[in-house]
Amino acid sequence: MPVIKANLGIVTQINVFTVPEGGQQALIEFLAEAAKFASSVPGWISASVHRGRDGTRVVNYAQSESLEAAERITCCLREAGWLDRNRALGQAHPGLYDVVFTLDR
């Protein structure tokens, strides 16, 4: 389950993909499989995939215990070919983030 609390040291990768019309489902299925693969890497916490209502975007929200864990996960995905394969499904715009503020009801 995602952990969205400020100042815990958790690293969040938010990756917004732009996909061609009709391309969301293939990317969603691919990202789900990649998340299952990555979940065995030490330091992995969670992954959540979001379908854009406009039909052209998919967002992957993944968390790891630290920057080192995030780098380890990315390295494992790259070495196994996952990062090359997703390029055919959509254009990625990744970034690493720290939660600095939350407000709950």
Side-chain angles (χ1 to χ4, degrees):
M1 168 152 307
V3 178
I4 306 176
K5 294 187 180 202
N7 305 313
L8 293 181
I10 292 172
V11 174
T12 302
Q13 181 186 47
I14 302 173
N15 199 345
V16 180
F17 292 87
T18 304
V19 298
E21 186 173 333
Q24 282 181 315
Q25 191 57 41
L27 180 58
I28 289 166
E29 291 169 8
F30 174 84
L31 292 173
E33 288 302 312
K36 290 173 188 172
F37 173 83
S39 69
S40 65
V41 178
W44 183 91
I45 295 175
S46 70
S48 304
V49 179
H50 306 260
R51 178 193 321 267
R53 290 183 171 250
D54 66 358
T56 66
R57 283 181 287 231
V58 174
V59 176
N60 185 31
Y61 185 95
Q63 293 187 306
S64 54
E65 293 176 352
S66 65
L67 181 57
E68 294 78 18
E71 291 170 345
R72 186 170 46 250
I73 292 162
T74 300
C75 184
C76 286
L77 288 166
R78 181 178 292 111
E79 288 175 358
W82 289 95
L83 301 185
D84 291 332
R85 288 183 290 201
N86 77 10
R87 290 187 180 116
L89 298 172
Q91 183 178 11
H93 305 280
L96 296 178
Y97 300 87
D98 298 313
V99 177
V100 295
F101 174 80
T102 61
L103 178 66
D104 295 319
R105 193 165 161 108

